[in-house]
Amino acid sequence: MNHQHFAGFAGYQPIGNTLYTPQFEHDACGIGFVAYVDGKPHPDILPLALKALSNLAHRGGILADGKTSDGAGILCQLPHDFFAEELEQRHIPAPLPGYLAVGQFFFSRDADEAKAGLRLVESILARPEMGLSLLMWRDVPQELKVLGPQAEATKPTILQALIAPSDGISAAEFERKLYLARRMMEKEARTADVDLYVCSLSNRTIVYKGLLFGEALGRFYTDLSNYRFHVGLATFHQRYSTN
């Protein structure tokens, strides 16, 4: 194609053998970020992020049931004090900040399949070369009535693993070992055909996500509306899957 023939069409830019005009770029996911410049946890960061996410409904797709969306999620700084208190309620000593990690896992809805995924995760965390120690499993509090019929019909089993390093390593080395553990879990789950999805596994950040609108995310995951859940940053996403 001779692009010179189209020189009079304002706004068009030739890219290879195609024509492109940026004014037709309307459909995209909604994203945002909230933080204070001091980098410290504040009680209003997460509420502000959830409020902003609730205003991005127009950036996400919606199913016929009117409640199930293409998905929304939030990544935030791991609130150490919140999870340390969860440990203390079980009479488990809480590690210092930087030495407590949380894994957010989606397992199968089927009880036997979920147990297989649980065993796989535990077996990898227990390997001596990993230097990791599983402190407890936590059922993630959920408000099911928030979900649409299609989201509820496919909702996985959602659990959190609270993890500490088992030897004297730095916080940075701890995060590296967590990354390696996550990759092993993903690879071995595929090989063994185990239904397992690792949303996040880190001593720095945690991810909450699901097939719902942003305004429902904080109502479904009640952790996010807990007054003790203080974070120093939050980045959020309302998915538009046809983008």
Side-chain angles (χ1 to χ4, degrees):
M1 178 183 295
N2 185 348
H3 296 301
Q4 292 179 346
H5 294 167
F6 295 89
F9 287 75
Y12 282 91
Q13 304 171 26
I15 301 177
N17 290 323
T18 64
L19 293 174
Y20 169 74
T21 178
Q23 61 259 37
F24 291 142
E25 290 289 345
H26 299 303
D27 301 329
C29 300
I31 61 172
F33 178 83
V34 178
Y36 277 85
V37 293
D38 62 13
K40 297 178 181 179
H42 289 267
D44 57 344
I45 287 180
L46 191 55
L48 283 171
L50 291 172
K51 178 63 175 178
L53 181 58
S54 72
N55 291 328
L56 291 177
H58 63 291
R59 304 311 311 174
I62 182 171
L63 298 186
D65 62 21
K67 296 180 70 176
T68 305
S69 85
D70 288 341
I74 192 162
L75 177 149
C76 55
Q77 183 185 46
L78 188 70
H80 175 270
D81 292 347
F82 177 85
F83 287 105
E85 188 169 325
E86 292 290 319
L87 288 169
E88 290 164 2
Q89 289 174 0
R90 303 265 194 106
H91 306 290
I92 301 172
L96 294 173
Y99 294 90
L100 173 62
V102 178
Q104 186 92 301
F105 294 96
F106 287 178
F107 295 105
S108 172
R109 294 170 59 86
D110 178 80
D112 291 335
E113 280 287 320
K115 288 179 181 178
L118 203 76
R119 288 194 297 268
L120 187 149
V121 170
E122 291 178 342
S123 69
I124 291 174
L125 293 176
R127 292 175 186 174
E129 67 273 18
M130 298 309 300
L132 302 173
S133 176
L134 175 63
L135 301 177
M136 63 174 272
W137 283 105
R138 177 177 184 256
D139 289 316
V140 181
Q142 304 155 51
E143 186 57 70
L144 296 180
K145 67 182 181 182
V146 172
L147 299 178
Q150 295 191 50
E152 186 174 1
T154 58
K155 187 191 76 67
T157 300
I158 307 173
L159 295 174
Q160 290 171 340
L162 277 64
I163 303 163
S166 59
D167 49 23
I169 60 175
S170 67
E173 178 66 10
F174 182 31
E175 179 75 349
R176 189 185 75 85
K177 287 179 176 289
L178 293 165
Y179 172 77
L180 292 175
R182 174 176 181 165
R183 296 307 301 267
M184 289 180 185
M185 292 170 190
E186 293 168 340
K187 180 179 179 181
E188 295 184 21
R190 286 194 299 268
T191 301
D193 195 24
V194 171
D195 193 359
L196 168 66
Y197 178 71
V198 188
C199 293
S200 60
L201 179 57
S202 173
N203 65 345
R204 298 177 180 175
T205 59
I206 187 168
V207 172
Y208 288 81
K209 63 194 298 186
L211 289 179
L212 33 71
F213 282 107
E215 63 87 18
L217 189 70
R219 292 188 290 120
F220 175 67
Y221 288 113
T222 58
D223 284 350
L224 300 178
S225 57
N226 191 300
Y227 73 95
R228 296 180 292 115
F229 206 98
H230 295 176
V231 300
L233 64 89
T235 181
F236 49 88
H237 175 214
Q238 175 70 63
R239 185 167 181 254
Y240 188 77
S241 65
T242 56
N243 178 33

mmCIF file of all heavy atoms in Angstrom, residues 107-133:
data_model
loop_
_atom_site.group_PDB
_atom_site.id
_atom_site.type_symbol
_atom_site.label_atom_id
_atom_site.label_comp_id
_atom_site.label_asym_id
_atom_site.label_seq_id
_atom_site.Cartn_x
_atom_site.Cartn_y
_atom_site.Cartn_z
ATOM 1 N N PHE A 107 -7.823 -22.391 45.221
ATOM 2 C CA PHE A 107 -7.843 -23.835 45.033
ATOM 3 C C PHE A 107 -9.167 -24.240 44.380
ATOM 4 O O PHE A 107 -10.098 -23.437 44.268
ATOM 5 C CB PHE A 107 -7.692 -24.553 46.373
ATOM 6 C CG PHE A 107 -6.367 -24.329 47.049
ATOM 7 C CD1 PHE A 107 -6.278 -23.474 48.146
ATOM 8 C CD2 PHE A 107 -5.225 -24.956 46.605
ATOM 9 C CE1 PHE A 107 -5.059 -23.266 48.783
ATOM 10 C CE2 PHE A 107 -3.996 -24.756 47.233
ATOM 11 C CZ PHE A 107 -3.914 -23.910 48.323
ATOM 12 N N SER A 108 -9.257 -25.506 43.994
ATOM 13 C CA SER A 108 -10.460 -26.020 43.352
ATOM 14 C C SER A 108 -11.665 -25.944 44.283
ATOM 15 O O SER A 108 -11.535 -25.983 45.518
ATOM 16 C CB SER A 108 -10.234 -27.469 42.924
ATOM 17 O OG SER A 108 -11.433 -28.060 42.467
ATOM 18 N N ARG A 109 -12.845 -25.855 43.698
ATOM 19 C CA ARG A 109 -14.091 -25.924 44.468
ATOM 20 C C ARG A 109 -14.314 -27.337 45.007
ATOM 21 O O ARG A 109 -14.979 -27.516 46.028
ATOM 22 C CB ARG A 109 -15.271 -25.534 43.583
ATOM 23 C CG ARG A 109 -15.258 -24.091 43.145
ATOM 24 C CD ARG A 109 -16.315 -23.827 42.077
ATOM 25 N NE ARG A 109 -17.658 -24.141 42.523
ATOM 26 C CZ ARG A 109 -18.443 -23.309 43.192
ATOM 27 N NH1 ARG A 109 -18.002 -22.107 43.521
ATOM 28 N NH2 ARG A 109 -19.658 -23.653 43.539
ATOM 29 N N ASP A 110 -13.787 -28.329 44.294
ATOM 30 C CA ASP A 110 -13.920 -29.729 44.714
ATOM 31 C C ASP A 110 -13.017 -29.980 45.925
ATOM 32 O O ASP A 110 -11.823 -29.642 45.908
ATOM 33 C CB ASP A 110 -13.526 -30.654 43.560
ATOM 34 C CG ASP A 110 -13.608 -32.115 43.950
ATOM 35 O OD1 ASP A 110 -14.709 -32.676 43.948
ATOM 36 O OD2 ASP A 110 -12.538 -32.690 44.274
ATOM 37 N N ALA A 111 -13.552 -30.575 46.972
ATOM 38 C CA ALA A 111 -12.808 -30.740 48.228
ATOM 39 C C ALA A 111 -11.549 -31.579 48.037
ATOM 40 O O ALA A 111 -10.483 -31.247 48.560
ATOM 41 C CB ALA A 111 -13.706 -31.368 49.288
ATOM 42 N N ASP A 112 -11.645 -32.685 47.287
ATOM 43 C CA ASP A 112 -10.480 -33.545 47.086
ATOM 44 C C ASP A 112 -9.419 -32.844 46.246
ATOM 45 O O ASP A 112 -8.220 -32.951 46.528
ATOM 46 C CB ASP A 112 -10.897 -34.856 46.411
ATOM 47 C CG ASP A 112 -11.745 -35.739 47.341
ATOM 48 O OD1 ASP A 112 -11.606 -35.594 48.576
ATOM 49 O OD2 ASP A 112 -12.533 -36.552 46.834
ATOM 50 N N GLU A 113 -9.860 -32.124 45.219
ATOM 51 C CA GLU A 113 -8.903 -31.378 44.389
ATOM 52 C C GLU A 113 -8.240 -30.272 45.205
ATOM 53 O O GLU A 113 -7.048 -30.001 45.054
ATOM 54 C CB GLU A 113 -9.620 -30.784 43.176
ATOM 55 C CG GLU A 113 -9.852 -31.754 42.042
ATOM 56 C CD GLU A 113 -8.569 -32.079 41.296
ATOM 57 O OE1 GLU A 113 -7.755 -31.162 41.067
ATOM 58 O OE2 GLU A 113 -8.375 -33.264 40.966
ATOM 59 N N ALA A 114 -9.015 -29.628 46.060
ATOM 60 C CA ALA A 114 -8.455 -28.574 46.899
ATOM 61 C C ALA A 114 -7.396 -29.143 47.842
ATOM 62 O O ALA A 114 -6.338 -28.522 48.056
ATOM 63 C CB ALA A 114 -9.557 -27.888 47.698
ATOM 64 N N LYS A 115 -7.644 -30.332 48.395
ATOM 65 C CA LYS A 115 -6.663 -30.961 49.277
ATOM 66 C C LYS A 115 -5.382 -31.285 48.522
ATOM 67 O O LYS A 115 -4.277 -31.155 49.077
ATOM 68 C CB LYS A 115 -7.259 -32.233 49.888
ATOM 69 C CG LYS A 115 -8.326 -31.972 50.937
ATOM 70 C CD LYS A 115 -8.889 -33.279 51.482
ATOM 71 C CE LYS A 115 -9.983 -33.011 52.512
ATOM 72 N NZ LYS A 115 -10.582 -34.273 53.024
ATOM 73 N N ALA A 116 -5.516 -31.701 47.260
ATOM 74 C CA ALA A 116 -4.330 -31.989 46.452
ATOM 75 C C ALA A 116 -3.500 -30.726 46.246
ATOM 76 O O ALA A 116 -2.265 -30.753 46.325
ATOM 77 C CB ALA A 116 -4.745 -32.591 45.109
ATOM 78 N N GLY A 117 -4.163 -29.611 45.981
ATOM 79 C CA GLY A 117 -3.454 -28.343 45.832
ATOM 80 C C GLY A 117 -2.801 -27.904 47.122
ATOM 81 O O GLY A 117 -1.669 -27.409 47.134
ATOM 82 N N LEU A 118 -3.504 -28.102 48.225
ATOM 83 C CA LEU A 118 -2.974 -27.744 49.542
ATOM 84 C C LEU A 118 -1.714 -28.550 49.847
ATOM 85 O O LEU A 118 -0.705 -28.003 50.311
ATOM 86 C CB LEU A 118 -4.045 -28.002 50.596
ATOM 87 C CG LEU A 118 -3.951 -27.241 51.905
ATOM 88 C CD1 LEU A 118 -4.394 -25.806 51.719
ATOM 89 C CD2 LEU A 118 -4.822 -27.916 52.968
ATOM 90 N N ARG A 119 -1.767 -29.852 49.572
ATOM 91 C CA ARG A 119 -0.604 -30.711 49.827
ATOM 92 C C ARG A 119 0.579 -30.309 48.962
ATOM 93 O O ARG A 119 1.740 -30.334 49.413
ATOM 94 C CB ARG A 119 -0.966 -32.177 49.582
ATOM 95 C CG ARG A 119 -1.882 -32.778 50.640
ATOM 96 C CD ARG A 119 -1.929 -34.290 50.532
ATOM 97 N NE ARG A 119 -2.494 -34.720 49.254
ATOM 98 C CZ ARG A 119 -3.793 -34.977 49.068
ATOM 99 N NH1 ARG A 119 -4.643 -34.836 50.081
ATOM 100 N NH2 ARG A 119 -4.233 -35.371 47.895
ATOM 101 N N LEU A 120 0.309 -29.929 47.720
ATOM 102 C CA LEU A 120 1.392 -29.507 46.832
ATOM 103 C C LEU A 120 2.081 -28.262 47.384
ATOM 104 O O LEU A 120 3.318 -28.194 47.433
ATOM 105 C CB LEU A 120 0.846 -29.249 45.427
ATOM 106 C CG LEU A 120 1.862 -28.955 44.325
ATOM 107 C CD1 LEU A 120 1.356 -29.452 42.985
ATOM 108 C CD2 LEU A 120 2.167 -27.453 44.216
ATOM 109 N N VAL A 121 1.298 -27.283 47.812
ATOM 110 C CA VAL A 121 1.868 -26.059 48.370
ATOM 111 C C VAL A 121 2.680 -26.370 49.619
ATOM 112 O O VAL A 121 3.820 -25.913 49.778
ATOM 113 C CB VAL A 121 0.749 -25.044 48.696
ATOM 114 C CG1 VAL A 121 1.295 -23.870 49.509
ATOM 115 C CG2 VAL A 121 0.105 -24.540 47.416
ATOM 116 N N GLU A 122 2.110 -27.166 50.500
ATOM 117 C CA GLU A 122 2.799 -27.492 51.748
ATOM 118 C C GLU A 122 4.091 -28.252 51.504
ATOM 119 O O GLU A 122 5.096 -28.024 52.193
ATOM 120 C CB GLU A 122 1.870 -28.294 52.659
ATOM 121 C CG GLU A 122 0.701 -27.487 53.201
ATOM 122 C CD GLU A 122 -0.237 -28.305 54.058
ATOM 123 O OE1 GLU A 122 -0.198 -29.555 53.966
ATOM 124 O OE2 GLU A 122 -1.024 -27.705 54.823
ATOM 125 N N SER A 123 4.071 -29.156 50.532
ATOM 126 C CA SER A 123 5.275 -29.962 50.259
ATOM 127 C C SER A 123 6.416 -29.091 49.756
ATOM 128 O O SER A 123 7.586 -29.314 50.110
ATOM 129 C CB SER A 123 4.963 -31.061 49.248
ATOM 130 O OG SER A 123 4.704 -30.520 47.955
ATOM 131 N N ILE A 124 6.107 -28.082 48.948
ATOM 132 C CA ILE A 124 7.153 -27.196 48.428
ATOM 133 C C ILE A 124 7.680 -26.285 49.529
ATOM 134 O O ILE A 124 8.885 -26.075 49.662
ATOM 135 C CB ILE A 124 6.620 -26.393 47.227
ATOM 136 C CG1 ILE A 124 6.387 -27.336 46.041
ATOM 137 C CG2 ILE A 124 7.574 -25.262 46.847
ATOM 138 C CD1 ILE A 124 5.723 -26.696 44.849
ATOM 139 N N LEU A 125 6.792 -25.758 50.344
ATOM 140 C CA LEU A 125 7.230 -24.892 51.448
ATOM 141 C C LEU A 125 8.098 -25.657 52.444
ATOM 142 O O LEU A 125 8.979 -25.070 53.085
ATOM 143 C CB LEU A 125 6.022 -24.299 52.165
ATOM 144 C CG LEU A 125 5.164 -23.315 51.376
ATOM 145 C CD1 LEU A 125 3.945 -22.891 52.198
ATOM 146 C CD2 LEU A 125 5.958 -22.083 50.963
ATOM 147 N N ALA A 126 7.867 -26.972 52.571
ATOM 148 C CA ALA A 126 8.586 -27.773 53.564
ATOM 149 C C ALA A 126 9.955 -28.257 53.074
ATOM 150 O O ALA A 126 10.709 -28.827 53.879
ATOM 151 C CB ALA A 126 7.738 -28.972 53.966
ATOM 152 N N ARG A 127 10.285 -28.052 51.816
ATOM 153 C CA ARG A 127 11.571 -28.528 51.322
ATOM 154 C C ARG A 127 12.713 -27.791 52.021
ATOM 155 O O ARG A 127 12.703 -26.552 52.104
ATOM 156 C CB ARG A 127 11.651 -28.330 49.810
ATOM 157 C CG ARG A 127 10.687 -29.240 49.050
ATOM 158 C CD ARG A 127 10.673 -28.968 47.572
ATOM 159 N NE ARG A 127 9.639 -29.773 46.923
ATOM 160 C CZ ARG A 127 9.289 -29.682 45.645
ATOM 161 N NH1 ARG A 127 9.913 -28.798 44.864
ATOM 162 N NH2 ARG A 127 8.351 -30.451 45.151
ATOM 163 N N PRO A 128 13.701 -28.521 52.521
ATOM 164 C CA PRO A 128 14.778 -27.893 53.298
ATOM 165 C C PRO A 128 15.497 -26.777 52.552
ATOM 166 O O PRO A 128 15.882 -25.765 53.156
ATOM 167 C CB PRO A 128 15.722 -29.068 53.599
ATOM 168 C CG PRO A 128 14.853 -30.286 53.522
ATOM 169 C CD PRO A 128 13.839 -29.983 52.470
ATOM 170 N N GLU A 129 15.677 -26.957 51.237
ATOM 171 C CA GLU A 129 16.414 -25.954 50.472
ATOM 172 C C GLU A 129 15.650 -24.637 50.337
ATOM 173 O O GLU A 129 16.243 -23.594 50.019
ATOM 174 C CB GLU A 129 16.761 -26.490 49.077
ATOM 175 C CG GLU A 129 15.574 -26.733 48.148
ATOM 176 C CD GLU A 129 14.952 -28.111 48.293
ATOM 177 O OE1 GLU A 129 15.200 -28.762 49.344
ATOM 178 O OE2 GLU A 129 14.227 -28.528 47.374
ATOM 179 N N MET A 130 14.333 -24.647 50.593
ATOM 180 C CA MET A 130 13.556 -23.429 50.479
ATOM 181 C C MET A 130 13.762 -22.522 51.690
ATOM 182 O O MET A 130 13.662 -21.298 51.582
ATOM 183 C CB MET A 130 12.063 -23.746 50.317
ATOM 184 C CG MET A 130 11.721 -24.548 49.063
ATOM 185 S SD MET A 130 12.411 -23.813 47.555
ATOM 186 C CE MET A 130 11.645 -22.205 47.570
ATOM 187 N N GLY A 131 14.006 -23.096 52.850
ATOM 188 C CA GLY A 131 14.199 -22.275 54.042
ATOM 189 C C GLY A 131 12.953 -21.520 54.455
ATOM 190 O O GLY A 131 13.034 -20.392 54.950
ATOM 191 N N LEU A 132 11.767 -22.136 54.266
ATOM 192 C CA LEU A 132 10.493 -21.488 54.574
ATOM 193 C C LEU A 132 9.721 -22.310 55.603
ATOM 194 O O LEU A 132 9.846 -23.535 55.644
ATOM 195 C CB LEU A 132 9.656 -21.321 53.304
ATOM 196 C CG LEU A 132 10.286 -20.515 52.172
ATOM 197 C CD1 LEU A 132 9.417 -20.575 50.919
ATOM 198 C CD2 LEU A 132 10.507 -19.066 52.598
ATOM 199 N N SER A 133 8.917 -21.629 56.390
ATOM 200 C CA SER A 133 8.138 -22.305 57.425
ATOM 201 C C SER A 133 6.683 -21.837 57.354
ATOM 202 O O SER A 133 6.403 -20.639 57.455
ATOM 203 C CB SER A 133 8.722 -21.980 58.807
ATOM 204 O OG SER A 133 7.931 -22.554 59.827
#
